Amino acid sequence: QVQLVESGGGSVQAGGSLRLSCAVSGYGYRRDCMGWFRQAPGKEREGVARIRRDVSTRYAESVKGRFTISQDNAKTTLYLQMNSLKPEDTAMYYCAADKNTRPWCRLWDSDLADYWGQGTQVTVSS
């Protein structure tokens, strides 16, 4: 059974920073294919940042240059460093991973994933 547990959310003022963490446990997930997604009230879920095979990263246009995704060496913890936060970044943030039985990293170019965390709330005030 795969579990993803996010932490690090909170309330900050615009221009501030937060670092989200996602602790992953269990077997059966692709350690080389993980991502961060977010969903604001009344809006669809969107991919924020994705990492593939250690070196490839992909960001939503709205967060490029401000957010950085990374993993620890064991690939059991996923991070999202968020700088220069804006009120429009306010949302519930989720980490996600794909099954290791998938031959490709599906979440790289879709908003679908096999495993999801429970989410951590980020609120940015102006």
Side-chain angles (χ1 to χ4, degrees):
Q1 185 177 359
V2 178
Q3 287 190 319
L4 297 86
V5 180
E6 302 95 335
S7 61
S11 296
V12 296
Q13 289 192 325
S17 297
L18 284 173
R19 189 191 196 201
L20 305 184
S21 298
C22 173
V24 190
S25 61
Y27 297 94
Y29 70 98
R30 290 193 58 155
R31 299 185 177 210
D32 65 344
C33 171
M34 299 189 70
W36 287 97
F37 296 76
R38 68 185 180 187
Q39 188 166 22
K43 294 188 177 181
E44 292 187 354
R45 184 172 59 204
E46 64 169 337
V48 175
R50 300 165 170 96
I51 189 165
R52 182 177 65 178
R53 300 192 200 115
D54 289 335
V55 296
S56 297
T57 57
R58 180 183 175 192
Y59 297 93
E61 285 296 325
S62 60
V63 307
K64 277 183 180 178
R66 300 188 297 121
F67 290 12
T68 303
I69 188 171
S70 62
Q71 289 177 291
D72 67 341
N73 288 337
K75 296 183 177 50
T76 57
T77 306
L78 185 70
Y79 302 101
L80 185 67
Q81 178 67 42
M82 304 187 296
N83 299 327
S84 303
L85 282 161
K86 303 176 180 180
E88 50 264 43
D89 294 318
T90 295
M92 185 72 80
Y93 283 71
Y94 302 90
C95 68
D98 272 347
K99 291 180 180 178
N100 62 3
T101 54
R102 292 196 181 278
W104 74 94
C105 182
R106 182 180 64 169
L107 65 78
W108 178 257
D109 53 8
S110 80
D111 291 339
L112 300 175
D114 295 304
Y115 304 109
W116 295 90
Q118 84 288 348
T120 186
Q121 178 67 38
V122 172
T123 303
V124 184
S125 58
S126 57

